[in-house]
Amino acid sequence: MQSDGEQTVRFGGSDPVDRPLGRSIKRGLACRCPACGEGRLFRAFLKPVDHCSVCGEDISHHRADDLPAYLVIVVVGHVLMTGYMLTDMILRVSPWVHLAIWAPLAVLAAIATIQPIKGGVIGLQWANRMHGFGGGEDGADSTSGPSNRPN
């Protein structure tokens, strides 16, 4: 136990600024800057801004890649499949009616959820200091994985 006059010794430079994971993801889901929660995260539908207009946080090096699309497929697929199965139990209609109902709903649900989910992924990366959000360059550590040098 520490007494009142003792402090915890931390090695490795200055103490990093606290980045709560839940708050950062919520700000990303709201399409706001994960750092300040005020600036817009997207300048176009799926194109994030390079820097926050309010706090100046550099967002240009995020790597959301395919994770938002996979998450949309999982979420929308589970919700729509549940709706389809419940509807099919109650109403006996032809497969063409189901296709006319559920295909447009799938497209609309995917379009409505892809931007917030991508914002949440960017917030997750920012909170965990991934892909340059920690102030260092990715790939600078030689122990991070296999090298790209020819054998």
Side-chain angles (χ1 to χ4, degrees), residues 7-82:
Q7 292 183 358
T8 304
V9 176
R10 296 179 192 253
F11 297 101
S14 63
D15 191 23
V17 178
D18 188 31
R19 294 182 178 185
L21 182 64
R23 185 185 71 190
S24 302
I25 292 174
K26 285 179 187 175
R27 288 177 175 177
L29 288 171
C31 299
R32 295 288 169 202
C33 172
C36 67
E38 297 295 322
R40 292 180 52 196
L41 188 55
F42 295 97
R43 67 172 174 248
F45 182 61
L46 289 177
K47 184 70 176 171
V49 296
D50 290 331
H51 299 279
C52 176
S53 60
V54 176
C55 68
E57 178 72 29
D58 185 16
I59 302 173
S60 64
H61 41 66
H62 79 89
R63 297 288 176 262
D65 297 333
D66 293 335
L67 181 60
Y70 293 138
L71 293 176
V72 166
I73 290 169
V74 168
V75 170
V76 170
H78 279 82
V79 170
L80 290 184
M81 186 54 70
T82 302

Side-chain angles (χ1 to χ4, degrees), residues 95-117:
W96 291 106
V97 173
H98 280 297
L99 184 66
I101 294 170
W102 298 107
L105 278 177
V107 171
L108 291 174
I111 290 172
T113 58
I114 187 70
Q115 187 181 36
I117 288 178

